[in-house]
Amino acid sequence: MLHIVRARLHRLPFTPPELSLIVITVVWGSTFVVIAKAMAYSGPLFFIAVRFLAAAAIAAVVFHRTLSTITRTDLVAGISIGVTMTIGYGLQTYGLQTVDASTSAFITALYVPLVPLLMWAVFRKTPKVMTLLGIGLAFIGLVLLAGPSAAGIHLGHGEIATLLGAVAMAAEIILIGSFAGKANLGRVTIIQLFVAGSVALVAMPVVGESVPAFSWWWLGPALAMGAASCLIQLTMNWAQRTVSPTRATIIYTGEPVWGAIFGRLAGDRLGPLALVGAALIIAGVLVSELKLRRKPGAQSPVLDGAMHNPVTVAESAAPVPQSVGRA
């Protein structure tokens, strides 16, 4: 039975790690409605702190036997990824207090082209043609999904905070790919979640945020999001051992599509442009899975499916060795 399942998975247009990343984008998309409700009862940093500390506790229960052998690499990976998580989620949530959702979605979408651009700046690795085309399609799709109002951006405090949050999210994805396979999966997951929650908690008095009055409307969603975050981070850390940061980013652009689907179930309605945007995002994912090659004896390049030969971290970011994820 197991060999039959493996054979069927091999025939799918995506590898198992890529499929797992697609699944977690569905989970991400389902969280928007829940978190929006919770923000009426809690401040952003407190909610983030409870969410990620709960996720860290769950991960610690699952991987408690590995905690006695934490290495320096585990600490460096977990702390660096955890800090970028707090910055990214914190700034995005802060921005949403003064920026409308469509504008926030457009600015946050900048993390899509930022990943290969930051990789080029840090590792001097030029993105491949089909990767750039896929990124372009996905980014245009995100702009259309955000709506016409996203084109008129005025850089106030909220917009600048959201833009900096997008940079942090891009850095998080790159860091995950950089440490993939070099650090222990369980230990890094625990550390990064604990660091993300702790940094948010410590930052509360700095920004003047207080602990909210008790309510199940923030506790329930925070604990549920904590469990989801633990699952998501474990999946990202595992999958990005073989899925490059750039390719992972293309897959992650499916998040707003699922968010729109769950939003429609909650009463929202997608317009024609948003539907076109969703289609372009899916097209971007598929196009990024193609590569240019020459047939033997041919003079011109042809498109060839690269579905079952995922680009590794080492191939996508030259000096990054393979060996450790946005929730």
Side-chain angles (χ1 to χ4, degrees):
M1 178 63 71
L2 184 59
H3 72 278
I4 295 177
V5 173
R6 288 177 176 174
R8 289 180 177 177
L9 285 175
H10 184 72
R11 290 197 294 268
L12 292 175
F14 300 100
T15 65
E18 290 169 339
L19 284 173
S20 69
L21 293 181
I22 293 173
V23 170
I24 65 173
T25 63
V26 180
V27 178
W28 284 336
S30 68
T31 64
F32 284 102
V33 175
V34 178
I35 295 176
K37 294 289 185 181
M39 285 301 96
Y41 301 89
S42 170
L45 286 178
F46 181 79
F47 185 83
I48 291 172
V50 175
R51 173 184 178 180
F52 286 131
L53 289 176
I58 296 172
V61 171
V62 176
F63 297 104
H64 66 279
R65 294 182 179 178
T66 68
L67 291 176
S68 60
T69 54
I70 293 178
T71 66
R72 181 178 179 181
T73 301
D74 296 333
L75 286 173
V76 172
I79 292 174
S80 57
I81 295 172
V83 170
T84 57
M85 286 172 60
T86 305
I87 296 173
Y89 283 97
L91 289 174
Q92 182 190 53
T93 306
Y94 170 79
L96 281 169
Q97 294 179 324
T98 57
V99 177
D100 62 73
S102 61
T103 301
S104 177
F106 175 69
I107 299 175
T108 302
L110 290 174
Y111 83 86
V112 176
L114 279 174
V115 167
L117 292 178
L118 287 178
M119 290 181 66
W120 172 81
V122 175
F123 302 116
R124 300 300 178 185
K125 181 65 176 180
T126 303
K128 298 182 183 303
V129 174
M130 298 309 295
T131 298
L132 290 174
L133 179 58
I135 289 172
L137 287 173
F139 183 64
I140 293 172
L142 284 165
V143 173
L144 294 178
L145 193 66
S149 63
I153 294 179
H154 304 286
L155 292 181
H157 294 297
E159 288 83 1
I160 293 175
T162 307
L163 178 59
L164 294 176
V167 175
M169 290 176 184
E172 178 198 348
I173 293 172
I174 293 174
L175 284 171
I176 292 168
S178 299
F179 287 107
K182 293 163 53 180
N184 179 269
L185 174 64
R187 293 194 292 267
V188 169
T189 300
I190 295 170
I191 295 169
Q192 69 190 55
L193 290 171
F194 177 77
V195 169
S198 299
V199 171
L201 203 61
V202 171
M204 284 179 59
V206 177
V207 300
E209 183 177 323
S210 58
V211 177
F214 175 81
S215 172
W216 287 107
W217 286 103
W218 62 255
L219 180 60
L223 294 179
M225 293 302 97
S229 296
C230 181
L231 175 63
I232 288 171
Q233 294 303 132
L234 283 171
T235 303
M236 292 175 71
N237 288 343
W238 169 75
Q240 283 197 228
R241 293 186 176 194
T242 54
V243 181
S244 72
T246 300
R247 182 168 298 186
T249 302
I250 293 292
I251 295 175
Y252 297 155
T253 59
E255 176 186 357
V257 176
W258 293 107
I261 292 173
F262 284 103
R264 182 177 178 83
L265 294 176
D268 295 341
R269 293 293 180 268
L270 284 177
L273 280 179
L275 292 174
V276 173
L280 285 175
I281 290 172
I282 296 173
V285 174
L286 297 176
V287 168
S288 69
E289 294 292 330
L290 301 175
K291 66 178 181 179
L292 292 170
R293 72 171 178 85
R294 292 179 181 272
K295 282 185 175 180
Q299 297 298 318
S300 59
V302 298
L303 289 177
D304 177 40
M307 305 297 188
H308 299 291
N309 184 26
V311 179
T312 63
V313 174
E315 291 172 321
S316 63
V320 181
Q322 275 196 9
S323 269
V324 159
R326 176 179 150 172

